[in-house]
């Protein structure tokens, strides 16, 4: 029920955090991987200002060491034309059975101080690119009569959050889009679902974890008593990518240490 041998999965934002853990978990379940990121080489080679961590090439090597195929596609998700062009390059070379729309960005500021440029930057990556990739990779899935799409939503698909208005709007949008696509595509064998991670220790939450007021507010509210690790989230993605979830459509699966139950 959880065997992904013979399947090809595309994961966006696969260089680190939840994306990297997810890509490795999908490979462990037997899938070959297409890793979508901004740059293949380590940041010191590209000269880009990028959070420390592994390169996409490193992640690809870790997947190949597990005996699975891994290729890399580099394209910024903030430009619809670039996204379309890169997606077609992937589609020319791969039959993608599993699409994990993981990449995401966040800008922290009160709504009154959020610039339109910041609003757009978040919506472009977190929602517009997700829509485009679902459309582009969903088309051959529908033709084949099978496929799995897993979008990465958030607790801020349900809650408003604190000083992240564009992020909350984008993630509510991801949940809505997931359900809308599930309504349309469940009947042709394509599963569209989402996971909603809780508070996970990644670059996305580095500022929160460093905030002496917000960090204890958050950690003391989590019933599990700790922040999540990227690996805590990856198993839920494998489930939604695997035959085990064939009758699950339009679900937003929270993986949050109990936050939403509180
Ligand atoms: P992360 O380590 O910052 O990962 C975000 C990924 O998105 C990175 O690989 C990043 O690429 C990529 N990305 C950002 N902007 C991009 C762009 N314009 N074009 C292409 N790629 C871009 O943080 P994470 O926590 O693992 O985030 C993964 C997903 O989980 C996001 O959708 C996030 O919103 C969601 N999420 C996270 C949490 C949490 O607590 N951490 C909670 C709920 C939801 P680079 O590697 O090049 O920077």
């Amino acid at each position: 029920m959880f065997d992904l041998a013979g399947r090809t999965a595309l994961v966006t934002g696969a260089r680190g955090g939840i994306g990297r853990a997810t890509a490795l978990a999908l490979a462990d379940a037997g899938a070959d991987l297409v890793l979508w990121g901004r740059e293949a080489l380590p940041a010191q080679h590209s000269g880009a200002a990028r959070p420390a961590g592994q390169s996409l090439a490193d992640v690809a090597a870790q997947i190949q060491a597990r005996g699975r195929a891994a290729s890399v596609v580099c394209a910024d998700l903030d430009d619809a034309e670039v996204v379309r062009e890169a997606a077609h390059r992937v589609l020319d070379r791969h039959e993608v059975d599993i699409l994990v729309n993981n990449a995401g960005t966040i800008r922290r500021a009160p709504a009154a101080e959020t610039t339109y440029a910041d609003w757009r930057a978040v919506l472009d990556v977190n929602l517009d690119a997700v829509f485009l990739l679902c459309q582009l990779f969903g088309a051959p899935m529908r033709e084949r009569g099978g496929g799995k799409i897993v979008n990465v939503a958030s607790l801020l698909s349900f809650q408003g959050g604190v000083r992240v208005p564009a992020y909350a709007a984008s993630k509510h949008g991801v949940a809505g889009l997931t359900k809308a696509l599930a309504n349309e595509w469940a009947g042709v064998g394509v599963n569209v679902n989402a996971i909603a991670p809780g508070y996970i220790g990644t670059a996305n939450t580095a500022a929160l974890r460093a905030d002496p007021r917000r960090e204890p507010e958050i950690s003391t509210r989590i019933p599990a008593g700790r922040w999540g690790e990227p690996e805590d989230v990856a198993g839920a993605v494998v489930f939604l990518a695997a035959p085990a979830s064939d009758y699950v459509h339009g679900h937003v699966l929270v993986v949050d240490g109990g936050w939403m139950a509180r």
Side-chain angles (χ1 to χ4, degrees):
M1 286 212 291
F2 296 93
D3 185 7
L4 299 181
R7 311 282 166 87
T8 296
L10 186 156
V11 178
T12 65
R15 187 178 71 89
I18 294 168
R20 173 179 171 276
T22 295
L24 295 177
L26 291 167
D28 283 337
D32 295 323
L33 267 295
V34 179
L35 308 172
W36 183 310
R38 281 188 279 202
E39 288 171 6
L41 294 174
Q44 64 266 28
H45 292 177
S46 69
R50 212 33 70 73
Q54 299 188 324
S55 69
L56 272 188
D58 293 332
V59 181
Q62 286 157 18
I63 289 165
Q64 286 154 0
R66 288 162 156 79
R68 308 263 61 96
S71 57
V72 165
V73 55
C74 295
D76 204 305
L77 290 167
D78 68 0
D79 181 323
E81 273 319 302
V82 170
V83 172
R84 279 196 195 90
E85 192 271 327
H88 284 297
R89 262 189 286 140
V90 175
L91 286 164
D92 286 345
R93 286 176 212 157
H94 301 277
E95 197 167 276
V96 174
D97 306 292
I98 299 157
L99 168 66
V100 183
N101 278 309
N102 164 76
T105 192
I106 194 162
R107 304 285 160 98
R108 297 181 191 277
E113 293 160 28
T114 294
T115 64
Y116 184 66
D118 277 348
W119 171 269
R120 278 263 45 97
V122 173
L123 269 289
D124 283 345
V125 174
N126 291 12
L127 187 56
D128 289 35
V130 172
F131 170 69
L132 281 174
L133 292 177
C134 286
Q135 212 178 34
L136 289 161
F137 287 96
M141 290 179 187
R142 285 184 286 123
E143 274 166 30
R144 290 196 298 271
K148 301 273 188 175
I149 296 178
V150 184
N151 296 324
V152 178
S154 168
L155 297 183
L156 300 196
S157 298
F158 310 100
Q159 301 178 324
V162 179
R163 298 191 312 117
V164 284
Y167 186 83
S170 72
K171 294 297 187 178
H172 274 70
V174 167
L177 175 65
T178 299
K179 293 172 193 175
L181 295 179
N183 289 341
E184 294 191 24
W185 297 351
V188 292
V190 178
N191 298 75
V192 188
N193 291 291
I195 60 155
Y199 287 87
I200 313 294
T202 68
N204 174 292
T205 52
L208 272 188
R209 284 177 287 123
D211 183 326
R213 190 178 58 82
R214 293 282 288 127
E215 196 287 327
E217 273 175 12
I218 292 166
S219 50
T220 56
R221 193 194 180 283
I222 301 171
R226 64 170 178 88
W227 286 58
E229 301 294 333
E231 291 72 20
D232 287 318
V233 176
V237 178
V238 172
F239 165 63
L240 291 174
S245 62
D246 277 352
Y247 198 60
V248 180
H249 292 281
H251 187 63
V252 183
L253 176 54
V254 293
V255 186
D256 65 349
W259 176 280
M260 289 299 289
R262 187 134 190 171

